[in-house]
Amino acid sequence: MEEKTIFEKRWQLASSDQRARFDKLLSSFPTIEWTYKEKKYLLWLCQLDVDTFETIEIIFEKIKRSNNKKQIDK
């Protein structure tokens, strides 16, 4: 099955909280062009329990800050 179709089916099944977490996650990285395969996995992460998701957000934020610092140091 095509990745876009899989993502769209999972999106339809996602709760409004999960969709909000997904949108927030993607908006945190506006310069990244996500493939449907990547979006599928990100949506899956958003469907995990809130504590697990918040831990993942912390990790992503650290990566983002690290990348920003590397760009500033150049």
mmCIF file with all atom_site columns, all heavy atoms in Angstrom, residues 48-60:
data_model
loop_
_atom_site.group_PDB
_atom_site.id
_atom_site.type_symbol
_atom_site.label_atom_id
_atom_site.label_alt_id
_atom_site.label_comp_id
_atom_site.label_asym_id
_atom_site.label_entity_id
_atom_site.label_seq_id
_atom_site.pdbx_PDB_ins_code
_atom_site.Cartn_x
_atom_site.Cartn_y
_atom_site.Cartn_z
_atom_site.occupancy
_atom_site.B_iso_or_equiv
_atom_site.pdbx_formal_charge
_atom_site.auth_seq_id
_atom_site.auth_comp_id
_atom_site.auth_asym_id
_atom_site.auth_atom_id
_atom_site.pdbx_PDB_model_num
ATOM 1   N N   . LEU A 1 48 ? 1.472  7.313  21.012 1.00 0.00 ? 48 LEU A N   1
ATOM 2   C CA  . LEU A 1 48 ? 1.955  6.703  22.239 1.00 0.00 ? 48 LEU A CA  1
ATOM 3   C C   . LEU A 1 48 ? 1.388  7.460  23.434 1.00 0.00 ? 48 LEU A C   1
ATOM 4   O O   . LEU A 1 48 ? 0.831  8.552  23.291 1.00 0.00 ? 48 LEU A O   1
ATOM 5   C CB  . LEU A 1 48 ? 3.491  6.742  22.279 1.00 0.00 ? 48 LEU A CB  1
ATOM 6   C CG  . LEU A 1 48 ? 4.216  5.989  21.165 1.00 0.00 ? 48 LEU A CG  1
ATOM 7   C CD1 . LEU A 1 48 ? 5.710  6.265  21.244 1.00 0.00 ? 48 LEU A CD1 1
ATOM 8   C CD2 . LEU A 1 48 ? 3.936  4.504  21.259 1.00 0.00 ? 48 LEU A CD2 1
ATOM 9   N N   . ASP A 1 49 ? 1.568  6.923  24.621 1.00 0.00 ? 49 ASP A N   1
ATOM 10  C CA  . ASP A 1 49 ? 1.053  7.626  25.797 1.00 0.00 ? 49 ASP A CA  1
ATOM 11  C C   . ASP A 1 49 ? 1.754  8.974  25.942 1.00 0.00 ? 49 ASP A C   1
ATOM 12  O O   . ASP A 1 49 ? 2.849  9.195  25.418 1.00 0.00 ? 49 ASP A O   1
ATOM 13  C CB  . ASP A 1 49 ? 1.214  6.756  27.054 1.00 0.00 ? 49 ASP A CB  1
ATOM 14  C CG  . ASP A 1 49 ? 2.665  6.545  27.415 1.00 0.00 ? 49 ASP A CG  1
ATOM 15  O OD1 . ASP A 1 49 ? 3.213  7.373  28.165 1.00 0.00 ? 49 ASP A OD1 1
ATOM 16  O OD2 . ASP A 1 49 ? 3.252  5.567  26.921 1.00 0.00 ? 49 ASP A OD2 1
ATOM 17  N N   . VAL A 1 50 ? 1.136  9.874  26.652 1.00 0.00 ? 50 VAL A N   1
ATOM 18  C CA  . VAL A 1 50 ? 1.601  11.256 26.745 1.00 0.00 ? 50 VAL A CA  1
ATOM 19  C C   . VAL A 1 50 ? 3.009  11.334 27.338 1.00 0.00 ? 50 VAL A C   1
ATOM 20  O O   . VAL A 1 50 ? 3.840  12.111 26.857 1.00 0.00 ? 50 VAL A O   1
ATOM 21  C CB  . VAL A 1 50 ? 0.605  12.114 27.557 1.00 0.00 ? 50 VAL A CB  1
ATOM 22  C CG1 . VAL A 1 50 ? 1.148  13.500 27.816 1.00 0.00 ? 50 VAL A CG1 1
ATOM 23  C CG2 . VAL A 1 50 ? -0.726 12.197 26.845 1.00 0.00 ? 50 VAL A CG2 1
ATOM 24  N N   . ASP A 1 51 ? 3.304  10.552 28.356 1.00 0.00 ? 51 ASP A N   1
ATOM 25  C CA  . ASP A 1 51 ? 4.639  10.600 28.965 1.00 0.00 ? 51 ASP A CA  1
ATOM 26  C C   . ASP A 1 51 ? 5.727  10.222 27.976 1.00 0.00 ? 51 ASP A C   1
ATOM 27  O O   . ASP A 1 51 ? 6.774  10.868 27.909 1.00 0.00 ? 51 ASP A O   1
ATOM 28  C CB  . ASP A 1 51 ? 4.702  9.675  30.188 1.00 0.00 ? 51 ASP A CB  1
ATOM 29  C CG  . ASP A 1 51 ? 3.832  10.172 31.338 1.00 0.00 ? 51 ASP A CG  1
ATOM 30  O OD1 . ASP A 1 51 ? 3.596  11.393 31.423 1.00 0.00 ? 51 ASP A OD1 1
ATOM 31  O OD2 . ASP A 1 51 ? 3.405  9.332  32.145 1.00 0.00 ? 51 ASP A OD2 1
ATOM 32  N N   . THR A 1 52 ? 5.492  9.196  27.202 1.00 0.00 ? 52 THR A N   1
ATOM 33  C CA  . THR A 1 52 ? 6.458  8.772  26.194 1.00 0.00 ? 52 THR A CA  1
ATOM 34  C C   . THR A 1 52 ? 6.619  9.859  25.138 1.00 0.00 ? 52 THR A C   1
ATOM 35  O O   . THR A 1 52 ? 7.734  10.195 24.731 1.00 0.00 ? 52 THR A O   1
ATOM 36  C CB  . THR A 1 52 ? 6.019  7.451  25.528 1.00 0.00 ? 52 THR A CB  1
ATOM 37  O OG1 . THR A 1 52 ? 5.855  6.465  26.543 1.00 0.00 ? 52 THR A OG1 1
ATOM 38  C CG2 . THR A 1 52 ? 7.032  6.987  24.503 1.00 0.00 ? 52 THR A CG2 1
ATOM 39  N N   . PHE A 1 53 ? 5.501  10.436 24.700 1.00 0.00 ? 53 PHE A N   1
ATOM 40  C CA  . PHE A 1 53 ? 5.562  11.485 23.691 1.00 0.00 ? 53 PHE A CA  1
ATOM 41  C C   . PHE A 1 53 ? 6.333  12.697 24.207 1.00 0.00 ? 53 PHE A C   1
ATOM 42  O O   . PHE A 1 53 ? 7.154  13.267 23.485 1.00 0.00 ? 53 PHE A O   1
ATOM 43  C CB  . PHE A 1 53 ? 4.159  11.902 23.244 1.00 0.00 ? 53 PHE A CB  1
ATOM 44  C CG  . PHE A 1 53 ? 4.192  12.979 22.218 1.00 0.00 ? 53 PHE A CG  1
ATOM 45  C CD1 . PHE A 1 53 ? 4.522  12.695 20.913 1.00 0.00 ? 53 PHE A CD1 1
ATOM 46  C CD2 . PHE A 1 53 ? 3.923  14.296 22.564 1.00 0.00 ? 53 PHE A CD2 1
ATOM 47  C CE1 . PHE A 1 53 ? 4.588  13.696 19.955 1.00 0.00 ? 53 PHE A CE1 1
ATOM 48  C CE2 . PHE A 1 53 ? 3.975  15.297 21.609 1.00 0.00 ? 53 PHE A CE2 1
ATOM 49  C CZ  . PHE A 1 53 ? 4.311  14.998 20.312 1.00 0.00 ? 53 PHE A CZ  1
ATOM 50  N N   . GLU A 1 54 ? 6.084  13.096 25.449 1.00 0.00 ? 54 GLU A N   1
ATOM 51  C CA  . GLU A 1 54 ? 6.786  14.253 26.008 1.00 0.00 ? 54 GLU A CA  1
ATOM 52  C C   . GLU A 1 54 ? 8.288  13.992 26.092 1.00 0.00 ? 54 GLU A C   1
ATOM 53  O O   . GLU A 1 54 ? 9.094  14.892 25.870 1.00 0.00 ? 54 GLU A O   1
ATOM 54  C CB  . GLU A 1 54 ? 6.207  14.614 27.369 1.00 0.00 ? 54 GLU A CB  1
ATOM 55  C CG  . GLU A 1 54 ? 4.823  15.242 27.257 1.00 0.00 ? 54 GLU A CG  1
ATOM 56  C CD  . GLU A 1 54 ? 4.149  15.477 28.579 1.00 0.00 ? 54 GLU A CD  1
ATOM 57  O OE1 . GLU A 1 54 ? 4.676  15.038 29.631 1.00 0.00 ? 54 GLU A OE1 1
ATOM 58  O OE2 . GLU A 1 54 ? 3.081  16.116 28.579 1.00 0.00 ? 54 GLU A OE2 1
ATOM 59  N N   . THR A 1 55 ? 8.673  12.764 26.379 1.00 0.00 ? 55 THR A N   1
ATOM 60  C CA  . THR A 1 55 ? 10.089 12.404 26.397 1.00 0.00 ? 55 THR A CA  1
ATOM 61  C C   . THR A 1 55 ? 10.683 12.550 24.999 1.00 0.00 ? 55 THR A C   1
ATOM 62  O O   . THR A 1 55 ? 11.791 13.080 24.836 1.00 0.00 ? 55 THR A O   1
ATOM 63  C CB  . THR A 1 55 ? 10.272 10.956 26.899 1.00 0.00 ? 55 THR A CB  1
ATOM 64  O OG1 . THR A 1 55 ? 9.704  10.849 28.202 1.00 0.00 ? 55 THR A OG1 1
ATOM 65  C CG2 . THR A 1 55 ? 11.735 10.566 26.928 1.00 0.00 ? 55 THR A CG2 1
ATOM 66  N N   . ILE A 1 56 ? 9.962  12.114 24.001 1.00 0.00 ? 56 ILE A N   1
ATOM 67  C CA  . ILE A 1 56 ? 10.426 12.244 22.618 1.00 0.00 ? 56 ILE A CA  1
ATOM 68  C C   . ILE A 1 56 ? 10.548 13.720 22.237 1.00 0.00 ? 56 ILE A C   1
ATOM 69  O O   . ILE A 1 56 ? 11.511 14.127 21.585 1.00 0.00 ? 56 ILE A O   1
ATOM 70  C CB  . ILE A 1 56 ? 9.483  11.492 21.663 1.00 0.00 ? 56 ILE A CB  1
ATOM 71  C CG1 . ILE A 1 56 ? 9.618  9.992  21.913 1.00 0.00 ? 56 ILE A CG1 1
ATOM 72  C CG2 . ILE A 1 56 ? 9.774  11.827 20.204 1.00 0.00 ? 56 ILE A CG2 1
ATOM 73  C CD1 . ILE A 1 56 ? 8.550  9.158  21.268 1.00 0.00 ? 56 ILE A CD1 1
ATOM 74  N N   . GLU A 1 57 ? 9.590  14.550 22.674 1.00 0.00 ? 57 GLU A N   1
ATOM 75  C CA  . GLU A 1 57 ? 9.669  15.988 22.396 1.00 0.00 ? 57 GLU A CA  1
ATOM 76  C C   . GLU A 1 57 ? 10.929 16.593 22.989 1.00 0.00 ? 57 GLU A C   1
ATOM 77  O O   . GLU A 1 57 ? 11.576 17.429 22.359 1.00 0.00 ? 57 GLU A O   1
ATOM 78  C CB  . GLU A 1 57 ? 8.447  16.708 22.972 1.00 0.00 ? 57 GLU A CB  1
ATOM 79  C CG  . GLU A 1 57 ? 7.209  16.624 22.129 1.00 0.00 ? 57 GLU A CG  1
ATOM 80  C CD  . GLU A 1 57 ? 6.111  17.504 22.685 1.00 0.00 ? 57 GLU A CD  1
ATOM 81  O OE1 . GLU A 1 57 ? 5.829  17.423 23.892 1.00 0.00 ? 57 GLU A OE1 1
ATOM 82  O OE2 . GLU A 1 57 ? 5.538  18.271 21.897 1.00 0.00 ? 57 GLU A OE2 1
ATOM 83  N N   . ILE A 1 58 ? 11.291 16.179 24.201 1.00 0.00 ? 58 ILE A N   1
ATOM 84  C CA  . ILE A 1 58 ? 12.496 16.686 24.853 1.00 0.00 ? 58 ILE A CA  1
ATOM 85  C C   . ILE A 1 58 ? 13.729 16.309 24.040 1.00 0.00 ? 58 ILE A C   1
ATOM 86  O O   . ILE A 1 58 ? 14.622 17.128 23.815 1.00 0.00 ? 58 ILE A O   1
ATOM 87  C CB  . ILE A 1 58 ? 12.603 16.144 26.303 1.00 0.00 ? 58 ILE A CB  1
ATOM 88  C CG1 . ILE A 1 58 ? 11.498 16.764 27.171 1.00 0.00 ? 58 ILE A CG1 1
ATOM 89  C CG2 . ILE A 1 58 ? 13.981 16.427 26.896 1.00 0.00 ? 58 ILE A CG2 1
ATOM 90  C CD1 . ILE A 1 58 ? 11.329 16.085 28.524 1.00 0.00 ? 58 ILE A CD1 1
ATOM 91  N N   . ILE A 1 59 ? 13.765 15.075 23.567 1.00 0.00 ? 59 ILE A N   1
ATOM 92  C CA  . ILE A 1 59 ? 14.893 14.621 22.753 1.00 0.00 ? 59 ILE A CA  1
ATOM 93  C C   . ILE A 1 59 ? 14.984 15.430 21.464 1.00 0.00 ? 59 ILE A C   1
ATOM 94  O O   . ILE A 1 59 ? 16.063 15.892 21.070 1.00 0.00 ? 59 ILE A O   1
ATOM 95  C CB  . ILE A 1 59 ? 14.775 13.110 22.464 1.00 0.00 ? 59 ILE A CB  1
ATOM 96  C CG1 . ILE A 1 59 ? 14.958 12.320 23.764 1.00 0.00 ? 59 ILE A CG1 1
ATOM 97  C CG2 . ILE A 1 59 ? 15.782 12.676 21.393 1.00 0.00 ? 59 ILE A CG2 1
ATOM 98  C CD1 . ILE A 1 59 ? 14.557 10.864 23.658 1.00 0.00 ? 59 ILE A CD1 1
ATOM 99  N N   . PHE A 1 60 ? 13.849 15.628 20.789 1.00 0.00 ? 60 PHE A N   1
ATOM 100 C CA  . PHE A 1 60 ? 13.844 16.413 19.549 1.00 0.00 ? 60 PHE A CA  1
ATOM 101 C C   . PHE A 1 60 ? 14.287 17.851 19.811 1.00 0.00 ? 60 PHE A C   1
ATOM 102 O O   . PHE A 1 60 ? 14.998 18.453 19.001 1.00 0.00 ? 60 PHE A O   1
ATOM 103 C CB  . PHE A 1 60 ? 12.463 16.404 18.897 1.00 0.00 ? 60 PHE A CB  1
ATOM 104 C CG  . PHE A 1 60 ? 12.135 15.130 18.174 1.00 0.00 ? 60 PHE A CG  1
ATOM 105 C CD1 . PHE A 1 60 ? 10.817 14.793 17.928 1.00 0.00 ? 60 PHE A CD1 1
ATOM 106 C CD2 . PHE A 1 60 ? 13.110 14.256 17.732 1.00 0.00 ? 60 PHE A CD2 1
ATOM 107 C CE1 . PHE A 1 60 ? 10.486 13.626 17.260 1.00 0.00 ? 60 PHE A CE1 1
ATOM 108 C CE2 . PHE A 1 60 ? 12.797 13.082 17.061 1.00 0.00 ? 60 PHE A CE2 1
ATOM 109 C CZ  . PHE A 1 60 ? 11.475 12.768 16.823 1.00 0.00 ? 60 PHE A CZ  1
#
